[in-house]
Amino acid sequence: MIGQLLGIFAGILALMMAGAISYTYLEETFGIREVPQAQEAPIAIAKKETAKTISTTKTEAKKIATKIPDPTAPIKTNGSLVPKTTTEEKTVVAPGPLRATTQAPVNASLSVRGVIEYTNVERAKNGVMGSLAENSTLNRVAQMKVDDMFAKQYFEHVSPSGVGQADLAQTAGYAYVIVGENLALGDFDGDQGVVTAWMNSPGHRANILNTHYKEIGVAVGKGMYEGRETWLAVQSFGMPLSACPTVDQMLKTQIDANNAVITNLRSNLDAKKLQIESTQTSDSNYNTYVNEFNTILPEYNSLVESNRVAVTNYNAGVQAFNACINEASVH
């Protein structure tokens, strides 16, 4: 009996010891997650995340700054801030002067209107599209030439003092891409006769049939030359500058103004970038510098992009203008 009681008592004692061991294990296993130090961990992590965010902002700022295009770099049209320049080459076509080789009727005379009319007849007969329009400024250029040849007694495209058709056109205020000049001296059988004589001369014929010309001026005059009274006739052909596409100079002015602002903004961005890179992320001023950089950046990028579009449009106009001039120079 006593032995049974001792056995029961021993069993109870064993169970109590086992419970105490289990309680101690559970406390060691789970209870540690509830100690005060566990509350510090999120705080410490939060601080690291804040530092990481600042660091990321800095990295992004550096990356954006690296991609800032150089406004002074001469890139191609589709990405350039540098406008192209217009071609300024002008062409003068002047075949050798033509002297009459036959004697015309005594009463033969020349007229401005008649020479222009027969010139356009020849262009039409030879398939040249578009008649030449009479231009008062070119009429004045031609008249200046006739007067000068009589006054200085010469028969050449360039005067003894070195004045040619280009100089006369400039004096008269005729802005051109290409001009040409035909000269004739002598007694011809009227307006048709002088035009026919020019058409029988390859160089003068090419001038009359030049498809680039849009306008014509003519002057005729009778006076003393080399001791005898005779006729002088001048054809002044022209392709005015206005015949080529217009280049938007106001757009060019705006592009230049934008480039000045872009250069200034770029300088500010470079300074801010350097300031950011030389500042520790723990510095209280760091985020201020980053914000200042990011405030300037959108304005810079927006202006660069709008100026790229403006330059592309401007350069397209310049290219069309230059192509027009280059085409006209081939005759």
Side-chain angles (χ1 to χ4, degrees):
M1 186 67 178
I2 293 173
Q4 290 179 342
L5 290 172
L6 290 174
I8 293 170
F9 180 76
I12 292 171
L13 183 60
L15 288 172
M16 290 176 65
M17 291 178 66
I21 292 170
S22 297
Y23 176 79
T24 301
Y25 175 77
L26 290 172
E27 185 180 45
E28 290 177 353
T29 304
F30 299 104
I32 192 170
R33 298 182 180 274
E34 299 177 4
V35 296
Q37 289 80 358
Q39 300 300 322
E40 295 297 328
I43 296 173
I45 292 172
K47 288 180 179 178
K48 289 179 180 178
E49 288 296 332
T50 301
K52 184 176 181 181
T53 301
I54 295 173
S55 175
T56 302
T57 304
K58 182 176 181 181
T59 301
E60 290 174 352
K62 289 170 65 178
K63 186 182 295 183
I64 294 171
T66 302
K67 291 183 177 179
I68 296 173
D70 184 355
T72 62
I75 317 169
K76 295 293 184 182
T77 306
N78 61 358
S80 176
L81 296 179
V82 181
K84 293 182 178 296
T85 56
T86 55
T87 299
E88 297 184 359
E89 179 184 353
K90 297 176 180 179
T91 304
V92 177
V93 183
L98 178 70
R99 289 176 180 262
T101 57
T102 59
Q103 189 69 35
V106 177
N107 61 348
S109 63
L110 302 179
S111 69
V112 170
R113 187 55 54 87
V115 171
I116 293 175
E117 180 182 342
Y118 282 111
T119 298
N120 280 326
V121 167
E122 291 298 336
R123 285 171 68 89
K125 283 168 53 178
N126 288 274
V128 179
M129 298 296 292
S131 298
L132 295 174
E134 182 178 358
N135 180 275
S136 60
T137 304
L138 285 177
N139 278 344
R140 189 160 65 253
V141 170
Q143 189 62 56
M144 291 166 66
K145 184 66 176 180
V146 167
D147 294 342
D148 197 53
M149 286 191 294
F150 274 130
K152 297 177 182 175
Q153 292 293 289
Y154 71 94
F155 184 54
E156 298 290 344
H157 289 289
V158 179
S159 74
S161 58
V163 176
Q165 191 190 15
D167 303 300
L168 296 175
Q170 183 176 0
T171 300
Y174 185 76
Y176 67 90
V177 175
I178 177 174
V179 289
E181 184 176 76
N182 281 350
L183 305 180
L185 168 66
D187 298 323
F188 296 90
D189 189 8
D191 299 327
Q192 185 174 12
V194 71
V195 172
T196 299
W198 274 323
M199 287 297 292
N200 290 334
S201 167
H204 299 89
R205 176 189 177 89
N207 235 1
I208 290 173
L209 301 181
N210 191 321
T211 58
H212 297 302
Y213 295 141
K214 308 297 180 185
E215 298 171 338
I216 187 173
V218 169
V220 297
K222 193 171 187 180
M224 296 300 295
Y225 182 80
E226 295 180 342
R228 62 181 293 265
E229 192 175 47
T230 189
W231 285 91
L232 278 175
V234 176
Q235 286 177 311
S236 288
F237 304 98
M239 175 182 176
L241 196 62
S242 59
C244 286
T246 302
V247 177
D248 191 342
Q249 294 303 322
M250 290 184 65
L251 182 59
K252 172 65 164 55
T253 300
Q254 185 60 56
I255 289 169
D256 291 341
N258 288 348
N259 276 338
V261 176
I262 287 170
T263 300
N264 184 56
L265 290 174
R266 173 60 187 267
S267 178
N268 290 341
L269 284 171
D270 287 343
K272 292 296 179 185
K273 176 187 173 186
L274 184 62
Q275 196 173 35
I276 291 170
E277 292 176 339
S278 61
T279 302
Q280 296 294 325
T281 57
S282 58
D283 191 313
S284 59
N285 293 317
Y286 177 80
N287 280 341
T288 300
Y289 299 153
V290 170
N291 289 336
E292 289 173 348
F293 178 93
N294 289 334
T295 298
I296 300 172
L297 189 61
E299 180 184 359
Y300 174 88
N301 286 338
S302 176
L303 190 56
V304 166
E305 182 56 32
S306 65
N307 224 34
R308 286 189 190 283
V309 174
V311 169
T312 298
N313 292 337
Y314 176 81
N315 285 350
V318 171
Q319 287 176 326
F321 176 85
N322 289 347
C324 177
I325 289 184
N326 291 337
E327 181 184 358
S329 66
V330 179
H331 54 272

